[in-house]
Amino acid sequence: MLELRTDYLENLNVPLVQKLINETKALFTKSLPIIVTCRDKREGGCFDYPAKLRLDVLVAALKTGVEFVDFEYQNFLNTEYQEKLRLALSGCPKGRLILSAHNFGKKFENIEKLYRSIKAISFAAIPKIAYMANHINDCFDAFDLLHKTSGQRIVICMGEAGVISRILAKKFDNMVTFVSSDDESATAPGQLTIQQIKQLYRFDLLKSDTQLYGVIGSPIRHSLSPAIFNACFDKLKMNALYLPLLVEGGKDEFDEFLHKICVRKWLNFKGFSVTIPHKQNAINFVKKEWGIIEPIARRIGAANTLVLSGDNKISAHNTDCDGALDAITKGLRINREDLKNMPVAVLGAGGVARAIIAGLTEAGCKVTIYNRTVEKAQQLASEFNCSFAPLDKLFNINAVLLINCTSVGMYPNVNESPVPDGLLNDDLAVFDTVYNPQKTILLSEAKRIGAKTIDGVSMFINQAMTQFKLFTGQQAEPKVMQKTISDCLSKK
Ligand code: NAP
């Protein structure tokens, strides 16, 4: 299906639109349904054309044989416009009217009332309601309306926070979702490209009973998780979809989001990956709901995985810790027991450092934490009973393994290293948790001088493999994850 947004045409006139429709139809051998829209500027139109001309365009489009014309519900309330459109539609039995309402600022006060008003003025028309979601929590009004109604209707949330409504359109039996042909030609905020929605988000395979998963975080646009999980679902031919879930704000917004999911079992969400800044919010939510907290997540004080079971029980897990420890033991060709008494220097005192330090100290490593903000290193050291020092004391390092848990060297600052020149030597193995790029400056330098290296992708894959198993009970293929990550990183 193709939408012709004729309000984007300069010097708009009726013959120009007729020519455009005929030429467009001639381009396709298979019949391609066309929606002709000439949007009012007040509802997101491009040029400010008078209502009479916009109506003339729609009437001519119907006579030229298009399947759908889209007119604003607010303008349809004008009896003169209404009669003109009704007359044109009665002469073109194939043509259908879409009556649309847009709010580019925020959600509608009462979306159900609006829907009923549109149906009341024309039962045969297809209602289209599009509004700006200023937060992902605004999307639930749209989902509820779609859940309660059936038949042809279009309900879409705009903006980055509304992206999931565009992806889930097929699951909810929305008549259409709007996509652009490429990155530059989007006609509304948050619109994805046809390639993204079909390939990355498996649009054609979505069904009403598709199981949903996603990564909760902010920002989330550049997360690799949707690509790797969806590639694994594809490989295993699973009726499942993994979404990017942009949850802005803090604990309150996070709690509201998860609460809205939990009371809507029909959405069929089964699990979440959780990233910055919500890992602590995740474990606190599960505590509050009397859910199950896996011991390692409790020790770390943060969860990167939430699983929703059939009886609506929620459990919290942390797969970062084992993901990192397995990457270390495999990279150094040792067993977990060999970590006992190993002196390790950890750079950073954020979320990833916390998860790795919890695992290292449990395995008996002698950890020293170096961090830019010394107070954070001190706090973490006191929690896990290890040593700490400021970054400028790195020259006195006494370790056989150095782990970078800072974001230094991460895209786009790929030329930065977290350690000063001359610090590395071939007796000091280096693990960089940064995975974008896979070969950081730190790892390149370590490799150059002959030290053993472990990259962040290995940890990323390990933690995602465990999440996949927790989510689905099935084993994902690490090769599929590895290839997807390489493909994604090479495009950046
Ligand atoms: P976080 O909680 O925000 O912590 C960031 C850490 O980096 C803090 O210790 C911070 O020091 C330090 N830092 C930031 N900029 C710095 C600079 N210019 N100089 C020195 N130190 C600096 O983030 P996180 O969740 O721990 O993630 C850290 C990194 O881990 C990410 O960037 C990502 O690349 C990597 N990661 C890897 C995986 C994986 O599976 N491989 C998973 C998640 C994350 P202050 O305390 O002084 O601010």
Side-chain angles (χ1 to χ4, degrees), residues 276 279 320 348-353 371-373 376 391 405-408 410 416 433-435 456-457 459-460 463:
I276 294 175
K279 289 185 182 181
D320 280 337
V352 163
N371 195 44
R372 183 177 58 178
T373 312
K376 283 204 215 160
L391 275 181
C405 295
T406 76
S407 44
V408 180
M410 189 172 83
E416 291 176 6
T433 64
V434 170
Y435 57 84
V457 168
M459 169 183 165
F460 188 68
Q463 62 83 28

Side-chain angles (χ1 to χ4, degrees), residues 446-458:
K447 202 164 219 147
R448 193 185 62 76
I449 60 172
K452 282 187 184 148
T453 60
I454 303 157
D455 65 38
V457 168
S458 53

